[in-house]
């Protein structure tokens, strides 16, 4: 009997401990939620004025109804999965953002000071696939407007790993074998290189988030609890900028870091507002455009990543618009190129056609815009575009960035096949084969090309 009582007491104590553990776990969960939104702490954010409007894209991808910021509403469970941005000490150096700078930044991005980035933008960062895997050299990309920036940076990562870094052969095997450290080195070098080019090879500016708030809400400016905590660091040497990024790489590649937004901010400040005004024209007065409740990058952002200059158009040089205004295109041949094809695009519109500066880059890597989806085509042979004989029969590799893609797609391009050979091959694969969007994009560069998918089902 005593043993039975003792067993009951032990069982009761065990239940008490389980209940206590459960309550602690419950409290920890809510502590994380409050910590994420900085609620109930001394470091609270300034509340919005009642006249401020909620951003139109807060509902993007079903994240819930928009709510006024700073009102203490609890987040949805989806938002709780994002931790705090990587925060640095405000004593690290640099200089804080001002209200005037934050206002200009919001205006050049959105055209006003009311809109803010959506959930998909805020959660976007630069994350590689697993090291030493078939896609070790590629970034995992998400949904929304940040995707185009990630894929544009992806093109420069391939450029660095294949053709820029020292001591490595230009082959696909080396790309798939890179380690985590090599991934980090590549990302730091690429981000610094893009910022340095945007700064006209004179200066790079890097934006990081501190624990201090430098800008308060005003009737004309809506806070987002992120931009207002920026600190800017300027570098007069590319190597110094690369080392700084590498030392703070978690601010760009860490989950919840807002890494893509930080890079975009750094890109704008490196280019400077003055240069941006000279780059743009009447067709493009802001860098983002509204789309389906969110925001997409305009061509100027992609061209700034590819060429260092925020050209709003893809044709060569300058053209005259319908009202005799001067429209700005691409002035120099880029290292990484650009191809685009859309099923609704008009081939008669000369201003929408990609010029040779982007279509024939210095290196055989292309950012592709195919029906509004961004992907990468590349060749491991550096001489492809400098020796016409190489363009007779060659291999291209295609990375779509889609989660379903587990390995590169290997394409063989034949630019000199006879028309009856091409017709026979297309008929063998069915009448729809000739309409593959990927093939159509490739044919904007090699118009008579026959594309062999080497066993992969063509992407439609």
């Amino acid at each position: 009997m005593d043993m039975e009582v003792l067993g009951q007491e032990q069982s009761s104590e065990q239940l008490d401990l389980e209940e206590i553990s459960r309550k602690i776990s419950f409290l920890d969960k809510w502590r994380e939620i409050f910590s994420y939104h900085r609620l109930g702490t001394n470091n609270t954010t300034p509340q919005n004025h009642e006249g401020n409007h909620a951003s139109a894209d807060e509902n993007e991808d079903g994240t819930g109804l928009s709510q006024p910021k700073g009102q203490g509403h609890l987040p949805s469970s989806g938002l709780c999965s994002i931790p705090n941005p990587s925060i640095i000490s405000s004593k690290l150096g640099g200089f804080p953002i001002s209200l005037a700078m934050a206002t200009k930044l919001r205006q050049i991005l959105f055209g006003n000071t009311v809109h803010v980035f959506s959930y998909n933008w805020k959660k976007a960062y630069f994350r590689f696939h697993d090291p030493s895997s078939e896609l070790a050299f590629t970034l995992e990309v998400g949904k929304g407007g940040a995707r185009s920036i990630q894929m544009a940076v992806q093109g420069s990562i391939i450029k660095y790993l294949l053709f820029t870094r020292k001591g490595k052969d230009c082959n696909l095997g080396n790309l798939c074998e890179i380690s985590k450290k090599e991934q980090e080195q590549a990302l730091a070098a690429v981000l610094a290189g893009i910022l340095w080019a945007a700064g006209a090879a004179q200066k790079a500016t890097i934006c990081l988030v501190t624990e201090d708030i430098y800008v308060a809400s005003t009737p004309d400016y809506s806070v987002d609890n992120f931009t207002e905590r920026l600190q800017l660091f300027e570098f007069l040497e590319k190597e110094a900028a690369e080392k700084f990024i590498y030392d703070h790489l978690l601010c760009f590649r860490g989950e919840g870091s807002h890494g893509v937004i930080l890079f975009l901010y750094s890109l704008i400040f490196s280019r400077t507002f003055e240069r941006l005004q000279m780059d743009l024209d009447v067709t493009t007065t802001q860098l983002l455009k509204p789309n389906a409740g969110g925001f997409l990058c305009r061509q100027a952002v992609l061209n700034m990543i590819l060429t260092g200059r925020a050209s709003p158009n893809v044709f060569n040089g300058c053209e005259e618009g319908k009202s005799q205004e001067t429209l700005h295109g691409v002035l120099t041949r880029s290292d990484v190129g650009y191809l685009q094809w859309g099923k609704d695009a008009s081939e008669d519109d000369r201003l929408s056609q990609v010029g040779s500066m982007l279509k024939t880059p210095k290196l055989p890597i292309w950012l592709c815009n195919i029906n509004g989806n961004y992907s990468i085509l590349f060749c491991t042979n550096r001489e492809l575009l400098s020796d016409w004989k190489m363009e007779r029969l060659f291999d291209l590799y295609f990375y779509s960035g889609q989660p379903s893609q587990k390995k590169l797609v290997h394409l063989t391009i034949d630019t000199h096949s006879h028309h009856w050979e091409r017709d026979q091959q297309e008929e063998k694969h069915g009448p729809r084969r000739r309409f593959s969007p990927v093939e159509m994009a490739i044919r904007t560069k090699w118009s008579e090309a026959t594309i062999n998918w080497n066993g992969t089902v063509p992407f439609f």
Side-chain angles (χ1 to χ4, degrees), residues 68-205:
K69 292 181 174 55
Q71 302 301 314
H73 290 286
L74 293 179
S76 69
S77 59
L79 293 179
C80 297
S81 62
I82 303 181
N84 281 320
S86 300
I87 296 174
I88 63 164
S89 170
S90 57
K91 299 178 182 178
L92 189 62
F95 57 93
I97 192 170
S98 64
L99 176 60
M101 293 164 65
T103 299
K104 282 186 177 181
L105 188 60
R106 195 73 66 80
Q107 287 174 337
I108 197 67
L109 285 167
F110 303 103
N112 58 59
T113 58
V114 176
H115 286 133
V116 296
F117 284 107
S118 65
Y119 169 73
N120 277 334
W121 272 94
K122 290 175 182 177
K123 73 175 184 178
Y125 59 104
F126 298 102
R127 176 182 178 179
F128 281 92
H129 283 93
D130 292 338
S132 300
S133 67
E134 290 208 46
L135 295 177
F137 62 98
T138 62
L139 297 172
E140 295 182 9
V141 296
K143 301 177 181 178
R147 178 187 176 86
S148 60
I149 294 179
Q150 292 169 310
M151 292 305 287
V153 170
Q154 175 69 74
S156 290
I157 289 172
I158 293 174
K159 164 194 159 183
Y160 172 83
L161 292 172
L162 269 183
F163 305 120
T164 305
R165 63 174 177 160
K166 298 176 182 178
K168 295 290 184 179
D169 295 330
C170 302
N171 64 64
L172 197 60
N174 284 337
L175 287 182
C176 300
E177 294 170 358
I178 65 170
S179 63
K180 182 179 179 182
K181 183 177 181 180
E182 288 174 313
Q183 290 176 337
E184 294 173 349
Q185 290 171 336
L187 182 59
V190 163
L191 296 184
I194 293 172
L195 298 181
W196 185 251
Q202 298 172 355
K203 182 176 69 174
T205 302

Side-chain angles (χ1 to χ4, degrees), residues 49 60 153-154 173 181 225 280 294 310 321 347 363 368 374 380 387 395 417 426 431-432 454:
H49 289 252
E60 183 176 332
V153 170
Q154 175 69 74
K181 183 177 181 180
N225 191 29
L280 303 177
E347 294 184 4
L363 297 169
C368 300
Y374 291 88
T380 58
D387 185 348
D395 294 321
S417 62
E426 290 180 343
R432 290 192 62 195
N454 295 307

Side-chain angles (χ1 to χ4, degrees), residues 29-56:
K29 172 186 173 183
W30 285 105
R31 187 178 294 112
E32 289 176 5
I33 293 173
F34 277 86
S35 175
Y36 170 72
H37 279 261
R38 309 181 75 84
L39 301 173
T41 68
N42 292 329
N43 193 15
T44 54
T45 60
Q47 293 191 358
N48 283 351
H49 289 252
E50 293 180 1
N52 286 349
H53 300 287
S55 166

Side-chain angles (χ1 to χ4, degrees), residues 138-378:
T138 62
L139 297 172
E140 295 182 9
V141 296
K143 301 177 181 178
R147 178 187 176 86
S148 60
I149 294 179
Q150 292 169 310
M151 292 305 287
V153 170
Q154 175 69 74
S156 290
I157 289 172
I158 293 174
K159 164 194 159 183
Y160 172 83
L161 292 172
L162 269 183
F163 305 120
T164 305
R165 63 174 177 160
K166 298 176 182 178
K168 295 290 184 179
D169 295 330
C170 302
N171 64 64
L172 197 60
N174 284 337
L175 287 182
C176 300
E177 294 170 358
I178 65 170
S179 63
K180 182 179 179 182
K181 183 177 181 180
E182 288 174 313
Q183 290 176 337
E184 294 173 349
Q185 290 171 336
L187 182 59
V190 163
L191 296 184
I194 293 172
L195 298 181
W196 185 251
Q202 298 172 355
K203 182 176 69 174
T205 302
I206 299 168
C207 300
L208 299 182
V209 183
T210 71
E211 70 271 21
D212 294 332
I213 299 171
Y214 305 114
V215 177
S217 177
T218 73
D220 298 321
Y221 178 85
S222 302
V223 299
D224 59 17
N225 191 29
F226 173 68
T227 307
E228 301 78 35
R229 294 189 282 147
L230 289 183
Q231 198 148 18
L232 282 64
F233 302 83
E234 294 185 346
F235 298 89
L236 302 180
E237 295 179 351
K238 184 172 73 169
E239 293 74 16
E242 181 179 336
K243 183 181 185 306
F244 184 82
I245 291 176
Y246 186 79
D247 290 343
H248 300 88
L249 201 56
L250 197 61
C251 297
F252 296 96
R253 70 170 185 83
E255 184 177 0
S257 64
H258 298 54
V260 172
I261 300 178
L262 272 183
F263 171 68
L264 179 57
Y265 282 174
S266 301
L267 192 64
I268 292 170
F269 282 116
S270 293
R271 188 62 187 158
T272 73
F273 295 115
E274 293 73 22
R275 288 198 192 101
L276 281 170
Q277 291 302 322
M278 292 188 289
D279 292 345
L280 303 177
D281 58 30
V282 294
T283 66
T284 303
T285 57
Q286 63 204 56
L287 298 179
L288 302 179
K289 59 182 177 182
N291 179 269
F295 288 92
L296 301 178
C297 290
R298 293 185 183 270
Q299 189 65 39
V301 176
L302 304 181
N303 284 350
M304 186 159 42
I305 296 173
L306 297 176
T307 71
R309 183 173 176 269
S311 308
N313 302 289
V314 293
F315 51 74
N316 291 351
C318 295
E319 295 278 355
E320 188 177 279
K322 294 181 180 179
S323 303
Q324 284 72 54
E325 70 275 18
T326 300
L327 305 181
H328 301 159
V330 178
L331 301 180
T332 57
R333 199 174 168 205
S334 57
D335 286 344
V336 176
Y338 180 79
L339 300 176
Q340 70 178 13
W341 183 84
K343 60 183 179 181
D344 299 323
S346 172
E347 294 184 4
D348 297 329
D349 184 3
R350 61 182 176 84
L351 296 181
S352 68
Q353 303 304 308
V354 179
S356 60
M357 294 295 185
L358 289 174
K359 195 178 289 186
T360 307
K362 296 177 183 177
L363 297 169
I365 308 167
W366 293 267
L367 171 67
C368 300
N369 176 0
I370 304 175
N371 286 325
N373 296 313
Y374 291 88
S375 52
I376 294 289
L377 275 170
F378 70 96

